[in-house]
Amino acid sequence: MLMNMRDLLAVAHTNHFAVPAFNISSNMLLTGVIEVSEEKSSPVILAIHPDELAFVGYSFVKAAIDMAHKASVPVCIHLDHGSTMEQIMNAIQCGFTSVMIDASTLPLEENIAISRKVVELAHTVNVSVEGELGTIGTTGPEAEAGTEEIIYVDPDDVKTFVEGTGVDTLAVAVGTAHGLYPKDKPPKLRMDLIKEISARVDIPLVLHGGSANPDEEIATAVRLGINKINISSDIKDAFYRKCREVLLNLDLREPLSIYPPCIEAMKDVARHKIDLFNASGKAALY
């Protein structure tokens, strides 16, 4: 069942759970995410970053749309961290049901102006919009784009931004970073910020950089009002670690010999995330 993110997260917001947004950059990851979501009866967001989209191509999105229509659970197809109007318009024309406009490094007034324009365009064709305040950090070159410095969201800006843009969901910078955290750089989520922001606006909140954070922090964040959590590095790390292990057998070359155990390794991580986000069984609410 294909949905936009506004309708998908409205149910999560009312029922106090978070929908996982798994970044997919191959048919194997797409297949595994859909399979595990159906197994756990969980709604799911298929997130594709512009860099991932440049690799897989727009025909891949058509395949994702087809699988979403056939899935037994609610599915949203979301452009992750779109930064230009061209990226946004291409995604809408290609069939994405949700887009993110990330103008978080700009001054607040410019961020509002750009995000409002995206909302005006996207809402005319029933595509939902995610905005962002503050900046998400990065843990290294293999992570999605991020900033060297984490700038925490200012709670005083949140209501101004939401009212000035009309965004459907809001990503808030509360101390996370994209990628897997090195041992000398542990994540530090500001639970007090999440709590304060939730009290100021009645809108689904998004946590980016959700890989490798301590489970207890993520569970608390969900209880405080986070309704979407992005997971990319965790599932990819599991998939490719298993892939490297499998390929030690130099005689293997057929996809059915190589990829099924890699998909299963990724699905093990996804199962854990779905349970952690309290999303298991929630497809029945739609």
Side-chain angles (χ1 to χ4, degrees):
M1 178 169 54
L2 184 62
M3 302 178 65
N4 66 29
M5 196 155 66
R6 177 182 61 249
D7 298 336
L8 192 76
L9 293 189
V11 177
H13 190 56
T14 300
N15 292 277
H16 311 294
F17 66 93
V19 178
F22 295 114
N23 278 77
I24 53 169
S25 52
S26 72
N27 182 67
M28 291 80 75
L29 293 176
L30 168 61
T31 298
V33 164
I34 291 292
E35 286 180 353
V36 75
S37 299
E38 291 187 316
E39 173 195 320
K40 299 294 291 183
S41 189
S42 168
V44 66
I45 296 164
L46 306 178
I48 307 176
H49 186 277
D51 291 346
E52 295 171 324
L53 187 56
F55 174 73
V56 299
Y58 288 104
S59 60
F60 176 77
V61 181
K62 301 302 182 186
I65 291 171
D66 183 61
M67 290 188 72
H69 279 300
K70 295 174 181 176
S72 60
V73 298
V75 181
C76 168
I77 300 178
H78 176 67
L79 179 71
D80 185 27
H81 286 285
S83 59
T84 68
M85 193 60 67
E86 181 182 8
Q87 290 175 346
I88 297 294
M89 294 307 297
N90 285 341
I92 292 173
Q93 291 170 357
C94 188
F96 281 76
T97 58
S98 178
V99 295
M100 178 187 185
I101 177 63
D102 182 0
S104 58
T105 59
L106 297 176
L108 179 62
E109 294 77 11
E110 293 181 41
N111 190 352
I112 289 174
I114 293 171
S115 300
R116 182 171 59 242
K117 185 176 181 181
V118 171
V119 168
E120 291 169 353
L121 291 169
H123 280 185
T124 61
V125 288
N126 199 32
V127 171
S128 54
V129 179
E130 175 183 332
E132 181 169 337
L133 282 175
T135 61
I136 310 299
T138 182
T139 59
E142 281 295 289
E144 291 176 16
T147 61
E148 290 298 322
E149 179 186 7
I150 294 174
I151 300 176
Y152 290 92
V153 63
D154 185 343
D156 291 333
D157 294 338
V158 172
K159 189 172 182 180
T160 300
F161 183 85
V162 170
E163 292 179 350
T165 61
V167 293
D168 303 292
T169 59
L170 179 64
V172 289
V174 292
T176 54
H178 289 136
L180 297 175
Y181 295 90
K183 290 182 179 180
D184 62 345
K185 190 179 180 181
K188 296 180 181 179
L189 266 64
R190 288 277 306 278
M191 299 302 173
D192 58 319
L193 269 182
I194 299 175
K195 187 174 182 180
E196 185 172 358
I197 294 164
S198 295
R200 294 194 183 201
V201 290
D202 187 23
I203 186 174
L205 300 177
V206 178
L207 185 67
H208 282 250
S211 290
N213 287 274
D215 285 355
E216 61 271 18
E217 286 190 350
I218 294 296
T220 300
V222 172
R223 288 194 296 270
L224 291 175
I226 295 293
N227 296 128
K228 169 182 175 265
I229 301 177
N230 288 27
I231 299 294
S232 178
S233 298
D234 272 352
I235 60 170
K236 291 173 183 173
D237 185 62
F239 181 91
Y240 287 109
R241 283 184 183 277
K242 188 64 177 180
C243 196
R244 293 183 187 99
E245 178 185 320
V246 170
L247 288 174
L248 290 175
N249 183 340
L250 300 180
D251 293 327
L252 296 181
R253 58 185 174 273
E254 294 298 328
L256 283 175
S257 300
I258 297 170
Y259 292 121
C262 307
I263 293 172
E264 282 304 314
M266 180 273 291
K267 286 166 68 174
D268 283 342
V269 175
R271 287 185 189 98
H272 175 70
K273 299 295 183 181
I274 289 169
D275 288 339
L276 181 62
F277 302 169
N278 194 29
S280 182
K282 297 301 191 297
L285 297 173
Y286 292 82

